[in-house]
Amino acid sequence: MTQHASPPRGSTDKVQPIGPLPAWRSLVARADVRTLSLLGVLLALVVVGGITKPDEFLDTRNLQLVLTQASVIGVVTVGMTFVITSGGIDLSVGAIVALASVWATTMATQDFGFAGILFTAVLVGVGCGLVNGVLIAYGAMVPFIATLAMLASARGLALQITDGKTQIVTVDGILKLGERDSYVLGIPPLVLVFAVVTIIGWLVLNRTTFGRRTVAVGGNAEAARLAGIDVRRQRLYLYLLSGLCCGIAAFLLIILSGSGQNTNGNLYELDAIAAAIIGGTLLSGGRGTITGSVLGVLIFTTITNIFALNNLQSDVQQIAKGAIIVAAVLVQRRTASTT
């Protein structure tokens, strides 16, 4: 009969279990490393901005501008994070923002005032998301193709509505939100909206059944289906959510610019995807982080601001963004292999 070794008498040492860390501890460890890495990059950029242009970059008005500009693309990125977490992609977000902004700023819409502009922007965004969701979830179309078709269609319709002209907003309630008098404790209203969207997005992704289903669908759609999740309906809801975020972002952009243009939202899809990826959301699905995505947005917006203040060319800016994306992915691979 086999005898088990026991600690010597009088010893107070406890036998420690040997094995891998529990899944939740491993996930927390990776999340902490990613968040700290992104915070380090953001802090480094702030230092660079403070050294190169201390008076301009650290000015309160400039910092408010950075946060305001980050708010528009940030709201889009929150929706994109959900879509990518589920294993999908949405290339049409920029075009949807453009279409929603011009549709909401037509003279006919402005006749209904503040509520009419807000309702139209959100309705157009959700409508486009519905089309994407139906084509992908129930039409079995590849997300890349379906959203690419929406990108082309929405851009074309936005151009047709405006005839290539800028539509000026004349509604006082909209224009006043863009003025400094409307700031709350020095915080622009757009930033407050972005904060609310971010908090809600984090709670939904991390604290609700909807969020758990999103992660499950992205991790293994077939296993999720066998577990009783309606995968098609979940994907439909996710593209509706993405469209909703685009509608909100379009309304914020209208406040920021005081107009609607068919060129609005240009390359938003690339910025949103990049911000989500460097934030720690897996492009293949199954893992997403709202906090990381928001930090990614702040990093890209800060880079843009620093380059603008230093009168550097946009091509160098794009190279810098590309380098940051590569570095972020390498950090993710490294942390994943060590935890």
Side-chain angles (χ1 to χ4, degrees), residues 15-21:
V15 178
Q16 299 294 333
I18 301 176
L21 289 173

Side-chain angles (χ1 to χ4, degrees), residues 95-142:
I96 294 175
V97 169
L99 178 59
S101 69
V102 300
W103 206 323
T105 54
T106 60
M107 294 305 298
T109 303
Q110 292 192 49
D111 288 340
F112 291 95
F114 184 99
I117 293 177
L118 174 59
F119 177 78
T120 302
V122 171
L123 182 63
V124 171
V126 172
C128 291
L130 176 63
V131 174
N132 282 336
V134 169
L135 291 176
I136 294 168
Y138 296 95
M141 289 188 66
V142 177

Side-chain angles (χ1 to χ4, degrees), residues 4 14-15 28 34 52 71 111 114 119 124 150 167 174 195 197 199 223 226 235 268 270 296 307 311 314 335:
H4 297 281
K14 295 182 179 180
V15 178
V28 169
R34 287 195 303 268
T52 57
S71 298
D111 288 340
F114 184 99
F119 177 78
V124 171
M150 176 59 73
Q167 299 178 162
I174 297 292
V197 171
I199 293 172
L226 294 175
R235 285 174 174 162
Y268 273 19
L270 299 183
F307 274 67
N311 297 319
S314 60
T335 55

Side-chain angles (χ1 to χ4, degrees), residues 16 107 125 128 144 169 182 194 197 202 236 265 270 295 329 334:
Q16 299 294 333
M107 294 305 298
C128 291
F144 181 91
V169 175
S182 64
F194 176 37
V197 171
W202 187 91
L236 173 62
L270 299 183
L295 290 174
V329 172
R334 178 64 178 172

